[in-house]
């Protein structure tokens, strides 16, 4: 088992900047994708113990998300509406030029006092590229491009004479001014990524600051963390780890389980099956056939990052103990989705997070 961090766990939430919420279901959802709702939510999350928010990236209607706000501009809006929250904008290499994005993020970082971050998404949805007239690369090539993209961002953010000669991107004695905010332990905006494949884990170990794991069992997450750490060690690096989870906390376990059952029973079957077909095709294109969603069943895919598999469903006490189990396995952060965001985020901050902190304190007392 991994040695758990002595630092407090951090928490992030998925920004509902696309319609349809975080589940592909026809269940009633009191979550709204509007700017006004999201500003209220961001401020509530900030007061409820969340350090990060992740803005989703969708370019066209797909799998329950009929409408989408663009991720980088929406992230900046949330940064300017909050005081402490760090906002991660999901971005696609191939749809962004890295130098343009580097400039954009540097400006957002300056305007927000050093709170901007990016999540580099290699891409699984072919139509988002081809319908925009952009080429769709094979799986391994998408990750090679993403790795160069991240190297480019870090080089341009930190060097006064930025140079890069890659297969996809090049830099020639370029000096970005102003640079993003630099602070101790944060030489540039944080770079996140996800992915399950060998390509994804290798890229994380070589270049990313954070690796997001899809929803999984504690044992499954620990295996991914171990793989990334082995690559990172070879390159003299450290990587931090986030785990995706869909959280349903209620006063009794029966109530929480009933909510989950209703979500699945009212799933938009056509949308879920369409999503499943698309992502499994993308995952099967990996060299080892171990891309994301390869072992996801119908129920898992109702929450499109396998959030139910993390098992954060039950009473506050049950969920807090489950969260601590992920910390023991090496997680530094939990990335959470909710059904009714305003109500559920407030409930989490009031009832779940205090128990997590108590358990963390008790664990520290046992550390020799």
């Amino acid at each position: 088992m991994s040695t758990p961090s002595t630092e407090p766990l951090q928490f992030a939430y998925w920004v509902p900047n696309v319609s349809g919420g975080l589940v592909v279901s026809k269940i009633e959802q009191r979550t709204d994708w509007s700017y006004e709702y999201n500003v209220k939510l961001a401020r509530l999350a900030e007061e409820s113990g969340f350090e990060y928010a992740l803005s989703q990236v969708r370019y066209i209607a797909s799998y329950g998300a009929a409408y989408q706000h663009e991720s980088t501009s929406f992230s900046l809006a949330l940064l300017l509406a909050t005081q402490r929250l760090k906002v991660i904008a999901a971005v696609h290499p191939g749809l962004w030029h890295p130098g343009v994005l580097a400039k954009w993020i540097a400006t957002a970082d300056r305007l927000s006092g050093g709170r901007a971050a990016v999540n580099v998404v290699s891409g699984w949805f072919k139509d988002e590229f081809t319908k925009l007239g952009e080429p769709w690369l094979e799986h391994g090539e998408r990750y090679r491009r993403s790795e160069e993209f991240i190297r480019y961002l870090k080089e341009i953010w930190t060097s006064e004479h930025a140079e890069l000669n890659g297969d996809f991107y090049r830099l020639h004695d370029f000096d970005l001014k102003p640079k993003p905010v630099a602070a101790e332990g944060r030489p540039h905006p944080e770079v996140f990524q996800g992915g399950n494949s060998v390509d994804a884990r290798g890229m994380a170990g070589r270049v990313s600051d954070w690796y997001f794991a899809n929803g999984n069992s504690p044992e499954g997450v620990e295996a991914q963390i171990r793989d990334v750490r082995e690559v990172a060690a070879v390159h003299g690096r450290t990587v931090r780890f986030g785990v995706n989870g869909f959280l349903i906390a209620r006063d009794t376990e029966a109530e929480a389980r009933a909510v989950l059952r209703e979500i699945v029973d009212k799933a938009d079957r056509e949308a879920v099956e369409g999503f499943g077909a698309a992502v499994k095709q993308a995952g099967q294109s990996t060299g080892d056939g171990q891309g994301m969603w390869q072992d996801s069943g119908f129920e898992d895919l109702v929450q499109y990052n396998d959030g139910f598999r993390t098992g954060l469903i039950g009473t506050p006490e049950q969920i807090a103990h489950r969260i601590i189990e992920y910390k023991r396995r090496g997680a530094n952060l939990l990335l959470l989705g909710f059904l009714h965001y305003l109500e559920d985020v407030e409930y989490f901050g009031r009832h779940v997070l205090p128990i997590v902190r108590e358990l963390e304190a008790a664990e520290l007392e046992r550390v020799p």
Side-chain angles (χ1 to χ4, degrees):
M1 184 179 291
S2 303
T3 303
S5 171
T6 57
E7 298 176 1
L9 266 171
Q10 295 181 295
F11 292 91
Y13 73 92
W14 286 97
V15 174
N17 58 304
V18 305
S19 63
L22 267 288
V23 290
V24 188
S25 175
K26 297 175 182 177
I27 190 173
E28 180 212 1
Q29 296 191 52
R30 296 188 292 276
T31 291
D32 185 16
W33 62 290
S34 70
Y35 169 68
E36 293 77 14
Y37 180 95
N38 270 281
V39 167
K40 186 175 182 180
L41 171 60
R43 291 171 176 164
L44 173 65
E46 188 174 60
E47 296 303 317
S48 299
F50 285 82
E51 289 87 6
Y52 293 89
L54 172 58
S55 296
Q56 304 171 67
V57 58
R58 297 280 187 94
Y59 283 95
I60 58 175
S62 59
Y63 315 118
Y67 299 92
Q68 322 87 31
H69 288 300
E70 192 277 325
S71 60
T72 60
S73 52
F74 209 75
S75 295
L76 178 57
L78 297 182
L79 284 167
L80 297 181
T82 53
Q83 300 296 316
R84 302 180 305 280
L85 193 69
K86 301 166 189 172
V87 186
I88 312 159
V91 297
H92 278 122
L95 300 181
W96 274 97
H97 183 285
V100 175
L101 179 70
K103 184 72 170 177
W104 196 103
I105 293 294
T107 298
D109 203 49
R110 287 275 172 176
L111 294 177
S112 63
R115 293 185 288 125
V118 294
N119 182 40
V120 175
V121 181
S122 295
W124 56 265
F125 189 22
K126 184 177 181 178
D127 282 359
E128 285 185 319
F129 287 78
T130 59
K131 290 189 176 185
L132 285 168
E134 293 299 316
W136 176 248
L137 304 183
E138 290 304 314
H139 182 274
E141 289 296 281
R142 294 200 299 276
Y143 275 93
R144 283 212 312 125
R145 178 173 62 187
S146 292
E147 183 164 336
E148 276 192 21
F149 191 91
I150 292 171
R151 291 185 189 279
Y152 189 119
L153 292 179
K154 292 187 174 185
E155 171 72 7
I156 202 171
W157 281 334
T158 58
S159 174
E160 294 180 0
H161 301 280
E163 292 283 347
L164 181 76
N165 290 294
D167 294 331
F168 300 92
Y169 303 112
R170 283 152 292 282
L171 272 168
H172 306 298
D173 191 24
F174 191 87
D175 186 11
L176 178 73
K177 288 185 177 175
K179 297 281 192 287
V181 176
E184 185 176 352
R186 184 194 185 267
H188 51 70
E190 293 171 294
V191 177
F192 293 72
Q193 69 149 103
N196 280 359
S197 65
V198 170
D199 291 325
R201 299 181 200 196
M203 184 178 96
R206 289 187 295 270
V207 297
S208 296
D209 303 315
W210 286 84
Y211 174 83
F212 277 136
N214 258 16
N216 205 335
S217 66
E219 296 79 12
V221 167
E222 185 177 28
Q224 290 175 264
I225 289 173
R226 183 172 59 248
D227 288 350
V228 174
R229 280 181 171 163
E230 287 176 358
V231 176
V234 170
H235 294 271
R237 305 184 65 249
T238 58
V239 180
R240 309 193 83 200
F241 299 95
V243 179
N244 180 64
F246 191 86
L247 192 144
I248 305 174
R250 298 294 186 267
D251 292 343
T252 68
E253 183 180 3
E255 289 176 89
R257 294 286 169 192
V259 173
L260 174 61
R261 190 74 263 148
E262 185 181 2
I263 291 172
V264 175
D265 287 347
K266 294 181 178 178
D268 184 336
R269 180 164 290 275
E270 182 180 357
V272 173
E273 290 176 349
F275 172 69
V279 297
K280 286 177 183 292
Q281 183 281 326
Q284 286 161 3
S285 68
T286 64
D288 58 358
Q290 296 297 311
M292 296 209 300
W293 301 288
Q294 282 314 288
D295 58 350
S296 302
F298 178 87
E299 180 172 320
D300 302 322
L301 294 169
V302 175
Q303 204 293 306
Y304 42 75
N305 281 97
D306 282 343
F308 299 153
R309 299 178 73 181
T310 309
L312 304 181
I313 297 158
T315 66
E317 292 81 6
Q318 290 172 319
I319 291 171
H321 281 276
R322 182 76 168 176
I323 286 172
I324 291 297
E325 180 61 24
Y326 283 97
K327 183 178 183 181
R328 290 190 186 119
R329 304 284 180 153
N332 304 103
L333 176 147
L334 268 291
L335 171 60
L336 302 177
F338 302 91
L339 182 61
H340 306 304
Y341 262 85
L342 291 177
E343 299 97 309
D344 290 342
V345 163
E346 183 175 23
Y347 189 96
F348 171 83
R350 188 182 301 273
H351 298 287
V352 180
L353 187 56
I355 302 174
V356 172
R357 298 303 184 215
E358 289 174 9
L359 292 173
E360 286 181 316
E363 293 259 315
L364 281 176
E365 288 180 4
R366 290 196 290 270
V367 175

